[in-house]
Amino acid sequence: MASLPDAVTTLLRAADANLLLRDAEGLVEVLTGCGWTPDVESGRFSTDGWDLLSSAWPPNVSVFFDGDDHPVRVAALAVAAAMKAEPHRWSFDSEGPDWSTWAVDDARWDEDEVDWLMWEAEDVMVSLFTAGETPAGPGTLPPHLHLAIGRADTPSEGLPRDDERARRVVREGSVVDRWYLAGERELLEDVIEALENDPDPRVRAAAESERWIRERAIDGPPPAE
């Protein structure tokens, strides 16, 4: 079985509500400490061909890897093996077949319905999914895996919009808090404008990039910093 990038295996070991998923500061501290490199866009990191999207409201992480069927399956099996190597910590479950026991070339990858594999600890939930080429709108998604890490106490519907919290983060939050706030999808216009005029260039760049994404511009790349 091929090894995973160090940043991925270290992240799995650091999946804790009081460390990784504590707050915005905890996310950046742990992720950069694990070897993930932050991007311009709010909450986005990368390492060795893997991408990570994180949010601070509520704190959660989603890791993505795509490519051809074989390397994606190898990577997904390696993630599952790393999780199963700690049975004293994680309780395992799956609503479908346990594909973590299959070989990379097993025919069931193409014949059976592949579902999420799930692990739960006292305060954290980890889910792992993989799929081959998948229709998506007018095109297709390449073979990919999705690893999700979230707090066990987060409601299934997520946390409600909180405009007062957003304004408080703009006024009193750290640079990291404001960088994460820029990526939230439902923000009042005055909050967005404040972030776009933030004294820190990282926050301004993230806010400008997120506005471009919100407006779904098609006539060029996101605005430069």
Side-chain angles (χ1 to χ4, degrees):
M1 183 65 65
S3 61
L4 296 168
D6 288 343
V8 177
T9 55
T10 308
L11 173 62
L12 294 175
R13 292 195 295 269
D16 182 282
N18 296 317
L19 294 172
L20 173 68
L21 303 177
R22 183 183 73 239
D23 51 24
E25 298 283 350
L27 281 163
V28 169
E29 180 181 351
V30 174
L31 290 172
T32 56
C34 288
W36 292 88
T37 301
D39 202 341
V40 171
E41 294 179 18
S42 171
R44 293 184 181 271
F45 296 75
S46 62
T47 187
D48 295 326
W50 294 62
D51 296 306
L52 184 150
L53 177 61
S54 58
S55 171
W57 182 255
N60 66 83
V61 167
S62 285
V63 180
F64 302 93
F65 177 72
D66 61 40
D68 295 330
D69 279 320
H70 187 275
V72 167
R73 291 174 187 172
V74 167
L77 291 171
V79 171
M83 294 297 297
K84 288 191 168 184
E86 296 187 283
H88 59 285
R89 181 184 179 197
W90 299 105
S91 174
F92 172 74
D93 188 25
S94 176
E95 295 183 357
D98 179 7
W99 48 262
S100 68
T101 63
W102 298 353
V104 175
D105 58 356
D106 195 302
R108 286 174 292 182
W109 289 106
D110 299 315
E111 297 172 355
D112 290 4
E113 182 175 349
V114 175
D115 209 335
W116 288 85
L117 302 184
M118 295 165 284
W119 292 266
E120 185 172 0
E122 181 178 353
D123 53 4
V124 177
M125 298 185 68
V126 175
S127 303
L128 176 64
F129 178 75
T130 186
E133 190 173 73
T134 307
T140 59
L141 289 175
H144 60 278
L145 70 78
H146 178 188
L147 169 67
I149 305 173
R151 295 179 59 99
D153 58 4
T154 298
S156 59
E157 67 276 13
L159 296 178
R161 171 174 168 171
D162 188 336
D163 293 336
E164 287 309 308
R165 167 192 162 271
R167 285 172 167 153
R168 186 167 60 253
V169 170
V170 166
R171 294 193 309 269
E172 306 169 7
S174 68
V175 171
V176 171
D177 289 326
R178 303 195 307 275
W179 183 67
Y180 267 107
L181 179 64
E184 295 184 18
R185 285 292 173 261
E186 295 185 42
L187 294 174
L188 295 172
E189 190 62 28
D190 65 291
V191 172
I192 295 174
E193 291 178 359
L195 293 169
E196 290 178 340
N197 291 284
D198 193 274
D200 193 281
R202 292 165 293 182
V203 179
R204 294 198 303 272
E208 291 165 3
S209 178
E210 293 296 337
R211 179 183 283 276
W212 179 83
I213 292 172
R214 287 189 186 93
E215 295 174 350
R216 298 179 181 276
I218 59 174
D219 56 351
E225 180 177 339

